[in-house]
Amino acid sequence: MICVMSDTHGDYSRFSHKTIKRLKKGDFLVICGDFGFVWDGSDREKSVLKKIGGKRFTTLFLAGSHDNYELLEAYPETELFGGRARNICGNLYMLSSGEVFDIDGKKSFVFGGGQASDIDARIENDTWWEQELPDEKKLEEGRAKLSSLGDTVDYIFTHEPPASIAEFLDMRNQHSLPMSRLNIYFDRLKGEIKFKLWFFGKLHKNKLIPPKYAAVFDEPYVIE
């Protein structure tokens, strides 16, 4: 079973949700960006990461637009479920962008990163990192990976939504930001790729957008 939520921002109480508590060995929790538990490298932070990595289920997260990329990229890279990931601790992994993973028997395309709405108030390489917005090379690598699989996957997990979905949810007015190249890239993919469900975080909303999109936040979405 796969359970999906997003934007935990280092809040460990989010793991106390009744749905998360029911997860067992062999289940997966996917967090669609802004994980936030890898931020300052403190002993307290490492203790929390050990708790998450020690859970009986496997926690998989994407980097978002409020994550410390410098610290995340210091963790060792490994092969996981057919794609590249970084092992944070025990059963806790960060999934690399542009990769396709076999999660619970389902092909899942993963692409993290995003454009933060509060970037003007942040400090480069301290509270903001250039890697938050993937470059064109990374986008091309992701597209090539999908092409190699016949442009067909079961699920897509991202932090940002496609541009047209963001417009539908009035995200631009909410955040006062133009669409990034990542939003536009995702909009192109949604017209070219066959998939069953696309999950994204970013908006701090729990909302289904028929027929196959879901904004996820603090109410875990369970894929049976």
Side-chain angles (χ1 to χ4, degrees), residues 7 9 34 39 64-67 69 113-122 127-134 159-160 171 174-178 180 182-183 202:
D7 295 69
H9 291 287
D34 285 1
W39 187 256
S65 55
H66 290 92
D67 283 306
Y69 280 72
Q115 182 168 272
S117 58
D118 60 349
I119 192 170
D120 291 340
R122 296 163 67 188
T127 55
W128 170 79
W129 289 265
E130 183 180 9
Q131 301 98 304
E132 289 178 3
L133 202 58
H159 182 58
E160 292 272 5
M171 187 179 110
Q174 178 184 350
H175 293 274
S176 300
L177 281 175
S180 73
L182 193 52
N183 298 117
K202 177 77 170 188

Side-chain angles (χ1 to χ4, degrees), residues 6-7 9 34 159 174 201-206 216-218:
S6 188
D7 295 69
H9 291 287
D34 285 1
H159 182 58
Q174 178 184 350
K202 177 77 170 188
L203 305 183
H204 290 199
K205 292 182 178 180
N206 304 293
V216 291
F217 179 40
D218 57 1

Side-chain angles (χ1 to χ4, degrees), residues 11-156:
D11 180 5
Y12 187 70
S13 69
R14 294 282 299 279
F15 285 85
S16 298
H17 193 284
K18 61 183 180 180
T19 300
I20 306 301
K21 285 185 173 182
R22 287 199 296 265
L23 295 178
K24 59 187 184 300
K25 184 177 180 180
D27 290 336
F28 300 89
L29 172 62
V30 177
I31 299 174
C32 291
D34 285 1
F35 180 63
F37 289 93
V38 180
W39 187 256
D40 59 17
S42 66
D43 289 342
R44 177 184 177 280
E45 181 174 89
K46 291 175 183 177
S47 176
V48 174
L49 290 171
K50 188 174 181 180
K51 288 182 182 179
I52 298 172
K55 293 186 180 299
R56 57 187 178 273
F57 56 87
T58 300
T59 300
L60 309 169
F61 71 92
L62 295 57
S65 55
H66 290 92
D67 283 306
N68 187 327
Y69 280 72
E70 183 177 359
L71 285 181
L72 287 170
E73 291 173 359
Y75 282 92
E77 194 169 58
T78 185
E79 286 289 320
L80 182 74
F81 309 140
R84 292 179 298 118
R86 294 186 185 273
N87 184 213
I88 307 302
C89 181
N91 291 328
L92 173 62
Y93 296 85
M94 182 184 78
L95 304 180
S96 297
S97 291
E99 296 286 309
V100 174
F101 299 88
D102 187 346
I103 304 173
D104 200 30
K106 302 296 183 181
K107 295 294 183 184
S108 299
F109 178 66
V110 169
F111 214 115
Q115 182 168 272
S117 58
D118 60 349
I119 192 170
D120 291 340
R122 296 163 67 188
I123 302 170
E124 187 171 2
N125 297 323
D126 182 48
T127 55
W128 170 79
W129 289 265
E130 183 180 9
Q131 301 98 304
E132 289 178 3
L133 202 58
D135 59 22
E136 290 296 332
K137 180 181 178 182
K138 177 62 71 175
L139 301 183
E140 291 170 4
E141 289 174 351
R143 188 65 188 86
K145 176 68 74 172
L146 288 167
S147 294
S148 72
L149 295 170
D151 291 337
T152 301
V153 293
D154 293 294
Y155 307 127
I156 297 177

